[in-house]
Amino acid sequence: LLPHGQLPLHIFEPRYLAMVEDSLAGDGVIAMIQPLDLADEGSEPDLYSIGCAGRITEDSELEDGRRLITLAGLCRFDVTGELPLLHGYRRANADYAPYVGDDTAADIASDADVDAVFAALQTYFTQRGIEAYAQMLRDLPTERMVNQVAMMCPFKPPENVRKAAFLPAG
């Protein structure tokens, strides 16, 4: 999840269902933080020190209790510590100050050489056999293009698997 990005999620684990319920009972904010290493499946993995908070903008409950939600990225944060588990899910203290500009609608890469970035993307897509609607991506504002590419590229597990953590208000 990146600021201004949209992340659809399929929620089915009991702890994350509880997290969504708790979030919706409050401000609707959930944070996404990637694990550093997925090798140790028996315990809670260490997390990267930066995450992104997102607001639940869509929520559909399925007949069997699973949920389909969409998070809209709000702002990155530094993890300053973990709180005790609540209903089985992880929680964290967050410092948003270093990323205060994330909530603006300005295109973060307006000075980027979009032609060079796009040429590199075309090469990457070709090498990996990724079929992308190139012109549609090219026509997006740079920040939105970066968000879309980050979500569609087949990164290695530490780069594409996300663990959620609920950030309490305050």
Side-chain angles (χ1 to χ4, degrees), residues 5-158:
Q6 301 286 316
L7 180 64
L9 295 169
H10 174 209
I11 309 296
F12 55 89
E13 286 187 51
R15 62 183 170 165
Y16 295 135
L17 289 167
M19 180 185 63
V20 169
E21 289 292 329
D22 290 348
S23 177
L24 289 171
D27 58 9
V29 173
I30 293 175
M32 302 301 290
I33 308 169
Q34 293 182 348
L36 283 169
D37 185 9
L38 297 177
D40 190 7
E41 293 183 27
S43 65
E44 296 294 340
D46 289 334
L47 302 174
Y48 279 94
S49 62
I50 300 173
C52 186
R55 184 170 315 283
I56 298 173
T57 56
E58 294 182 35
D59 173 38
S60 298
E61 187 171 356
L62 304 176
E63 290 180 14
D64 61 3
R66 293 176 295 135
R67 295 184 100 115
L68 301 175
I69 67 171
T70 300
L71 291 181
L74 298 172
C75 185
R76 291 170 294 161
F77 59 86
D78 290 333
V79 175
T80 59
E82 279 202 55
L83 299 169
L85 295 178
L86 179 65
H87 303 127
Y89 61 85
R90 294 172 81 172
R91 302 178 305 146
N93 287 318
D95 178 10
Y96 293 93
Y99 310 99
V100 72
D102 282 359
D103 60 352
T104 65
D107 188 1
I108 61 165
S110 59
D111 294 333
D113 183 347
V114 177
D115 292 329
V117 169
F118 197 71
L121 279 175
Q122 293 276 57
T123 301
Y124 178 83
F125 291 156
T126 300
Q127 289 174 345
R128 305 255 178 336
I130 298 172
E131 290 187 37
Y133 296 98
Q135 191 56 49
M136 189 168 66
L137 284 172
R138 180 79 169 89
D139 292 341
L140 292 174
T142 308
E143 179 183 32
R144 190 153 175 222
M145 179 180 70
V146 168
N147 285 343
Q148 293 299 318
V149 168
M151 289 177 58
M152 68 185 275
C153 288
F155 296 120
K156 292 180 168 80

